[in-house]
Amino acid sequence: MPSAPPPTGTDRLRAYRDDGPICAALGALPRGHLPPLPGALVALVVATALLGTGLGERHDLALFAPVAVLMLTGLAAGHGHTGRLDWLVPPIIRAIEYGYLAVLGFAQGVPAPLVFLLLGVLAFHHYDTVYRTRQGFWPADWLFPAGLGWEGRMLVVALFGLSGFLPFAYAALAAYLGVLFVCESVLSWTQLVRGGGVMDDLEEEGT
């Protein structure tokens, strides 16, 4: 059965981050005392600068973007995201992840269909997470670590980029994550319907 929804909107923001095991471990170090927005903004600037090099001759520099972003944003993963503007953190992370996968893939010759397929799989997962939580039920607890988190996916791509097997990484991630996210979503929605759960359209929600 799907997990029960968290009690607050700030927990939703933390789920929308889509952190994996590495971020979870790093986020436990400051014990939730490190605000997330400043690091996310700096990470966006740093990632943009590194990705800019990926469009030129220094493709190797762009491969280090995940490490820089992880150190700047991962340490704040345990924060409650209670700040007035902390809702900006998940979309910033999405922009970094999608931008990294797109720029690096196209710059290093990954076939466009593979790049778009992986981005499409991730977009489905993130939309599904947002929609489900707004309907009042949560994805399975194991889904986020099984999906590697945004940091895990970026690190996998970076490692394969260093070894010269980037197209394989995109294909493998798209296949694995596609099966994982779609199957878990279908099973969760099916269980909810069979259990008599109530699903309201987003247009009818007051909040």
Side-chain angles (χ1 to χ4, degrees):
M1 290 293 294
S3 302
T8 66
T10 57
D11 288 322
R12 288 183 179 179
L13 292 181
R14 293 175 65 180
Y16 297 163
R17 286 175 55 107
D18 194 18
D19 293 327
I22 301 176
C23 263
L26 285 176
L29 297 178
R31 299 182 179 180
H33 297 302
L34 190 64
L37 185 58
L41 291 173
V42 175
L44 180 62
V45 174
V46 172
T48 301
L50 290 175
L51 289 177
T53 66
L55 297 175
E57 298 179 355
R58 298 298 306 278
H59 300 322
D60 54 334
L61 290 179
L63 295 173
F64 292 98
V67 178
V69 174
L70 177 60
M71 295 306 298
L72 288 167
T73 61
L75 290 171
H79 189 273
H81 291 62
T82 53
R84 180 177 298 180
L85 297 178
D86 284 351
W87 61 270
L88 290 170
V89 174
I92 289 175
I93 293 177
R94 292 289 75 75
I96 293 173
E97 181 184 14
Y98 291 3
Y100 179 77
L101 294 175
V103 171
L104 192 65
F106 291 132
Q108 297 210 8
V110 177
L114 284 181
V115 176
F116 288 123
L117 178 60
L118 179 56
L119 291 175
V121 167
L122 294 177
F124 165 80
H125 166 57
H126 294 133
Y127 174 80
D128 185 55
T129 299
V130 172
Y131 189 86
R132 274 202 259 181
T133 57
R134 295 190 66 180
Q135 299 306 314
F137 77 105
W138 213 243
D141 293 334
W142 51 263
L143 183 63
F144 296 109
L148 306 179
W150 61 267
E151 78 282 8
R153 295 186 290 264
M154 290 176 65
L155 288 172
V156 166
V157 168
L159 290 175
F160 275 90
L162 289 172
S163 62
F165 295 99
L166 203 54
F168 174 79
Y170 277 69
L173 280 175
Y176 166 69
L177 296 174
V179 172
L180 175 70
F181 293 148
V182 172
C183 288
E184 191 278 336
S185 179
V186 170
L187 289 174
S188 294
W189 282 105
T190 301
Q191 290 175 351
L192 181 69
V193 172
R194 289 178 177 176
V198 178
M199 296 179 293
D200 299 320
D201 291 334
L202 286 177
E203 292 82 2
E204 297 177 356
E205 288 188 334
T207 58

